[in-house]
Amino acid sequence: MIIFISIFVLTSLISSTLVFSSLNNFPIARPGCKSTCGEVQIPFPFGIKRKCYRTKQFLVTCNNTDFTPPKLFWGNVEITDISLDGQITVVRSIAKNCYDKQQNRSSDNNPILELPSNFRVSNTANKFTIVGCDSYGYVSGRRRIGRNFTTGCTAMCSSRNDLQERECAGAGCCQTTFPEDVWWVRIDVRSYSNYTKVSDFSNCSYGFIVKDKAFTFSKDNLTNLSNVTKLPAVLNWDIGKGTCEVAKSNLKAYACKSAESECYEPVSGSGYRCRCRNGYEGNPYLTSGCIDIDECTLKISNCTKNAKCENTIGSYTCSCPKGHKGDGKEGDGCVKKQSLMIAYVLIGIIALLLCIILLYLELKRRSQRKTKHKFFLQNGGSILQEKLATGEVSPQMVTIFTSTELQKATNNFHNSMIIGRGGFGTVYKGVLADRRTVAIKRSIRVDPTQIEQFINEVVILSQINHRNVVILLGCCLETDVPLLVYEFISNGALSSHLHDEAKARVLDWNMRLKIATETADVLSYLHSSASTPIIHRDVKPDNILLDHTFTAKVSDFGASRLVPVDLAQLSTMVQGTFGYLDPEYMQTHQLTEKSDVYSFGVVLLELVTGRKALSFDRPVEEKSLSSYFLYVLKQDLLVKIIDEKIVGSGNMEQIYSVCKLAKECLNVKGEDRPNMKEVAMELQGLILGGKHSWERNNADNIEEMEYLLPNNHDGMGGVSSSVGYDSISRDHIGLPINGGGGR
């Protein structure tokens, strides 16, 4: 306790001494106004009586009746120091919460501080502190920007031996900061167990806002703070509202009255302050408040030892003795004349080398800038700019990253940052300057025919707002190949979990059904709820990512198409991945939302069977999963291909229902398939334990489907090795048609 009080008194004395020394011999208050109260200076704009203060916010009172020496008050708040740098030190109450041995509670909680405009609690000069061994506390309040805030911390210990002198890191004492611009504050302190576990040495909690370094924790504080009622805290103040520019427009109300003063805006707050210019000191709020200081007498000049310092108005000069030349200031200072020629030669050489280096760097910078601009145009920059200008892409939704930013984020695209490879290229993990972890897709080659598809992915993703869609953060067009920046999904692609023996065991039936439902919900949203309907065109497990909670995130919209509201289908070149392609789409080249339904049906089969859509390692009849599924379904041998890892008590009915749903999705004719909204409702019904929400009575088309499915064609490509962020994979196809374009 003695140590704490000593520090507080010493801090106050030092603060007062600094004020006295800095303002000594300079005007402090207005003429005829009292400039001190006890040991506290009262500089204008503060004042005790009328015409001595600027506005009522700066009215203070000096109580010399009840206190010796007198004390200065601001309302009912005691002031121990006023600084013209925009701070005042006040004394504030401590919040307390205590229980005696009979568990009777006594408390002095919720000390509230409410400040007028232009005043706020300093978030840099104060700390919110909790003291106790079974304690937690909150500081809450309001900010000038119209927001509320709450923060706090916990102080715990089980024995006095846990405590460290002068340490306030959670054992018996904790400290934390709070936001800026705070004008209203409330403090609450409480106990987790009413001190029953530590009552032999601590039965109270204490909470307070205290000036930084004015409080040093001691073991004795667990008991002696009960005798302390107030501690110092720092408030910030501004002289007026608005910026300096606005304030200067009204000279009558402008507060910086001294001719040698200047206006500045503090880092936080909405007002302005005044200060004396360099070379002057005093009170800038008074007409003749800023007085020239003698830097030579005060020995605050930077003249060298052998130079002579001479004071000037607002500044000073340094002159060298005879036989020397220079400015007499630190650095070169004063040098002998005979050494000047050598110095000039050296300076000339250094200047020449510097010019050469700067010229080289400038030429290199221009070359890099020219190259980046070339890549920008080559990678579709003009197309993207046109879409931004027309409003097709929102600037708030898509960030244009620079190549420098992404190089730093990936350690210059180091191999250790690679999280996936495929025929399309490489995906890197990166950490941006703001600490966000992202996935950066980098193509392996520049294909001019894919540039429009790349820009298309940016356009489509900027219009999608769904929690189960991978968020596109932005792109970079300054490199040799275009880059896309996505949110980072930590658990990889669904395919890596389904087709890895160890991971697949973790993926039980409930998780697989949840993933299927979330994916169906996304596709339903794209088809019917998006502002413009979207057909994904490449639905597969490689493009379904899983986060740390195994929540599905649909990715890769490079092949997607926006559907005009007046068109039921689009004529396009065939694109997609073998094993998932709609047979009707392959024959007719007519793209509809039912193409995604077919692909999703194959995904359902992979979830149920654990098999790949195409596998050349299996017998010929089992190579195509969809064809083999229809075969075993026809032979009533469905149990033969169900993944044994998901079979459990009571879930076979759900599994058979999903298989039936998959069969409906795999109908050859698109008109016989359900839409994605119906599929999503069916899966949601299974999760909720409901019955089928719809029933289809179409005749089986298994023979027709088997005929059309690409199950026995070699050269159809393999299973994609992508990680979900790619749009150009080695098992994709693109078949040109007559009269059909990419858009």
Side-chain angles (χ1 to χ4, degrees):
M1 180 64 185
I2 295 175
I3 295 175
F4 163 69
I5 294 177
S6 299
I7 292 174
F8 172 45
V9 172
L10 181 60
T11 303
S12 300
L13 289 175
I14 292 173
S15 177
S16 299
T17 302
L18 290 175
V19 172
F20 272 109
S21 62
S22 63
L23 297 181
N24 194 23
N25 299 324
F26 299 106
I28 297 173
R30 277 181 170 176
C33 295
K34 190 173 182 179
S35 60
T36 61
C37 177
E39 297 179 346
V40 182
Q41 293 273 339
I42 311 174
F44 183 79
F46 292 86
I48 292 178
K49 62 182 181 179
R50 190 180 181 90
K51 296 186 178 180
C52 291
Y53 53 83
R54 177 175 171 81
T55 63
K56 286 188 177 181
Q57 296 181 34
F58 298 99
L59 171 63
V60 293
T61 57
C62 184
N63 189 332
N64 54 10
T65 303
D66 301 326
F67 301 99
T68 303
K71 290 187 177 182
L72 186 65
F73 286 87
W74 183 47
N76 61 350
V77 178
E78 181 185 348
I79 298 176
T80 60
D81 180 56
I82 300 176
S83 167
L84 286 172
D85 291 332
Q87 291 187 335
I88 61 173
T89 302
V90 300
V91 180
R92 292 299 303 153
S93 301
I94 297 178
K96 301 178 183 179
N97 182 42
C98 300
Y99 282 82
D100 59 21
K101 293 183 178 180
Q102 287 73 38
Q103 291 298 299
N104 295 316
R105 180 174 180 265
S106 62
S107 66
D108 182 13
N109 252 334
N110 304 327
I112 296 177
L113 175 63
E114 184 173 356
L115 304 177
S117 61
N118 295 348
F119 285 81
R120 58 199 177 278
V121 183
S122 175
N123 66 307
T124 57
N126 296 306
K127 289 288 179 65
F128 174 60
T129 305
I130 296 295
V131 174
C133 276
D134 177 28
S135 310
Y136 64 98
Y138 305 103
V139 56
S140 58
R142 300 168 188 164
R143 303 172 63 188
R144 294 285 181 205
I145 57 177
R147 295 180 185 172
N148 295 337
F149 79 94
T150 299
T151 186
C153 63
T154 299
M156 303 291 292
C157 67
S158 57
S159 168
R160 287 179 64 91
N161 295 329
D162 295 342
L163 308 178
Q164 297 290 328
E165 293 288 337
R166 309 180 72 84
E167 290 289 335
C168 195
C173 177
C174 68
Q175 286 187 326
T176 187
T177 58
F178 50 90
E180 62 181 18
D181 245 11
V182 173
W183 68 273
W184 189 90
V185 176
R186 183 180 65 192
I187 298 174
D188 292 308
V189 286
R190 303 178 186 178
S191 168
Y192 287 105
S193 60
N194 299 347
Y195 315 103
T196 55
K197 297 181 180 180
V198 295
S199 60
D200 57 331
F201 62 93
S202 174
N203 68 336
C204 289
S205 299
Y206 306 95
F208 45 87
I209 293 175
V210 63
K211 182 178 179 181
D212 194 18
K213 298 181 181 179
F215 172 79
T216 302
F217 176 68
S218 171
K219 295 181 181 180
D220 295 335
N221 292 147
L222 294 179
T223 56
N224 63 21
L225 277 178
S226 61
N227 300 321
V228 178
T229 58
K230 296 183 178 181
L231 289 172
V234 179
L235 308 180
N236 291 340
W237 58 271
D238 300 326
I239 191 63
K241 296 182 179 179
T243 64
C244 288
E245 184 178 356
V246 173
K248 290 176 182 178
S249 64
N250 185 358
L251 293 178
K252 185 177 180 180
Y254 185 49
C256 304
K257 297 300 184 182
S258 176
E260 306 302 337
S261 65
E262 61 184 6
C263 178
Y264 73 100
E265 297 165 17
V267 176
S268 62
S270 58
Y272 69 95
R273 296 179 192 154
C274 305
R275 63 189 171 197
C276 293
R277 295 188 307 179
N278 289 337
Y280 294 86
E281 191 171 348
N283 191 333
Y285 302 104
L286 299 176
T287 304
S288 301
C290 293
I291 307 298
D292 173 59
I293 59 175
D294 190 338
E295 293 87 353
C296 300
T297 302
L298 297 176
K299 295 183 179 180
I300 58 175
S301 70
N302 63 348
C303 297
T304 57
K305 290 183 179 180
N306 59 344
K308 181 181 179 181
C309 179
E310 295 181 3
N311 185 57
T312 61
I313 300 299
S315 186
Y316 62 93
T317 60
C318 304
S319 56
C320 294
K322 291 183 179 181
H324 293 74
K325 286 190 177 183
D327 60 5
K329 297 182 179 180
E330 292 180 359
D332 292 338
C334 299
V335 296
K336 291 183 178 181
K337 291 182 179 180
Q338 55 266 35
S339 62
L340 287 178
M341 185 58 69
I342 298 175
Y344 290 153
V345 172
L346 290 175
I347 292 173
I349 294 174
I350 293 173
L352 179 61
L353 290 175
L354 184 61
C355 288
I356 293 174
I357 293 172
L358 291 176
L359 179 61
Y360 169 76
L361 293 176
E362 176 62 20
L363 292 175
K364 184 178 180 181
R365 186 182 65 82
R366 291 185 180 183
S367 176
Q368 291 176 340
R369 187 171 59 185
K370 185 176 180 181
T371 301
K372 289 180 179 180
H373 183 66
K374 172 188 172 184
F375 286 146
F376 181 81
L377 297 178
Q378 177 180 299
N379 292 331
S382 58
I383 300 175
L384 184 57
Q385 284 180 332
E386 181 180 345
K387 293 180 182 295
L388 286 167
T390 58
E392 187 174 347
V393 180
S394 170
Q396 288 75 31
M397 299 294 292
V398 179
T399 300
I400 307 297
F401 292 93
T402 65
S403 56
T404 303
E405 286 181 283
L406 300 189
Q407 285 172 349
K408 290 181 179 179
T410 59
N411 193 16
N412 202 21
F413 295 98
H414 194 272
N415 288 339
S416 63
M417 305 298 285
I418 294 175
I419 58 175
R421 295 180 186 272
F424 69 94
T426 308
V427 176
Y428 294 84
K429 180 181 179 180
V431 181
L432 300 177
D434 59 5
R435 311 305 299 169
R436 284 183 297 169
T437 302
V438 296
I440 302 170
K441 182 172 72 175
R442 184 182 191 184
S443 300
I444 201 170
R445 65 181 66 87
V446 178
D447 185 353
T449 63
Q450 299 295 332
I451 294 302
E452 188 174 357
Q453 178 172 301
F454 167 81
I455 299 299
N456 180 57
E457 183 168 3
V458 175
V459 173
I460 291 176
L461 282 179
S462 69
Q463 301 180 43
I464 297 176
N465 180 23
H466 196 283
R467 67 185 183 89
N468 294 112
V469 173
V470 176
I471 298 173
L472 175 69
L473 301 177
C475 62
C476 175
L477 307 176
E478 294 181 347
T479 54
D480 55 340
V481 291
L483 306 174
L484 284 177
V485 182
Y486 298 89
E487 65 170 325
F488 178 72
I489 308 300
S490 58
N491 232 346
L494 173 61
S495 57
S496 68
H497 291 267
L498 284 176
H499 308 312
D500 181 280
E501 189 68 23
K503 292 182 179 180
R505 293 186 182 278
V506 180
L507 212 61
D508 61 21
W509 171 245
N510 289 333
M511 294 174 66
R512 298 188 191 196
L513 183 57
K514 172 177 170 289
I515 291 168
T517 304
E518 291 172 340
T519 304
D521 185 56
V522 170
L523 296 175
S524 173
Y525 166 82
L526 295 177
H527 292 174
S528 58
S529 299
S531 57
T532 302
I534 299 169
I535 301 176
H536 188 283
R537 291 216 308 183
D538 199 16
V539 179
K540 59 182 179 180
D542 282 328
N543 292 336
I544 301 171
L545 305 183
L546 303 177
D547 67 10
H548 64 286
T549 63
F550 287 89
T551 298
K553 299 279 188 175
V554 177
S555 68
D556 187 5
F557 290 79
S560 304
R561 285 294 178 266
L562 295 172
V563 182
V565 294
D566 57 342
L567 292 181
Q569 57 187 12
L570 298 174
S571 179
T572 73
M573 63 179 296
V574 176
Q575 280 188 274
T577 304
F578 283 113
Y580 304 91
L581 274 171
D582 174 9
E584 183 178 61
Y585 172 42
M586 293 181 64
Q587 283 195 339
T588 66
H589 298 173
Q590 299 299 314
L591 177 66
T592 70
E593 64 180 30
K594 294 299 182 69
S595 299
D596 282 349
V597 176
Y598 182 90
S599 301
F600 181 74
V602 181
V603 173
L604 288 179
L605 294 184
E606 290 197 55
L607 288 167
V608 170
T609 66
R611 299 187 177 206
K612 297 181 179 180
L614 283 178
S615 179
F616 296 97
D617 297 331
R618 295 183 178 274
V620 174
E621 64 273 11
E622 299 182 25
K623 182 170 60 175
S624 169
L625 176 59
S626 54
S627 295
Y628 188 56
F629 166 74
L630 295 174
Y631 169 76
V632 299
L633 190 64
K634 188 175 183 180
Q635 299 298 322
D636 199 20
L637 297 173
L638 184 61
V639 71
K640 181 179 179 181
I641 65 171
I642 294 177
D643 191 345
E644 61 182 12
K645 290 185 286 297
I646 65 173
V647 176
S649 58
N651 68 352
M652 287 306 299
E653 183 179 351
Q654 281 188 336
I655 294 175
Y656 283 133
S657 295
V658 171
C659 290
K660 181 179 179 181
L661 179 61
K663 173 182 173 294
E664 294 290 337
C665 293
L666 295 175
N667 275 313
V668 172
K669 295 181 179 180
E671 63 185 20
D672 294 334
R673 302 170 198 157
N675 58 46
M676 281 311 305
K677 186 173 183 180
E678 292 174 324
V679 174
M681 291 175 61
E682 177 72 6
L683 291 172
Q684 290 169 1
L686 289 177
I687 289 181
L688 297 175
K691 298 181 179 180
H692 296 311
S693 57
W694 49 267
E695 189 71 36
R696 307 187 65 86
N697 298 314
N698 295 332
D700 291 340
N701 292 319
I702 296 176
E703 293 84 357
E704 183 181 1
M705 293 174 72
E706 288 178 333
Y707 172 77
L708 290 171
L709 286 171
N711 60 332
N712 293 316
H713 301 286
D714 298 327
M716 283 281 192
V719 178
S720 171
S721 62
S722 68
V723 296
Y725 296 95
D726 62 300
S727 58
I728 310 171
S729 193
R730 63 186 177 87
D731 53 358
H732 281 59
I733 63 168
L735 304 177
I737 63 172
N738 295 329
R743 295 186 189 275

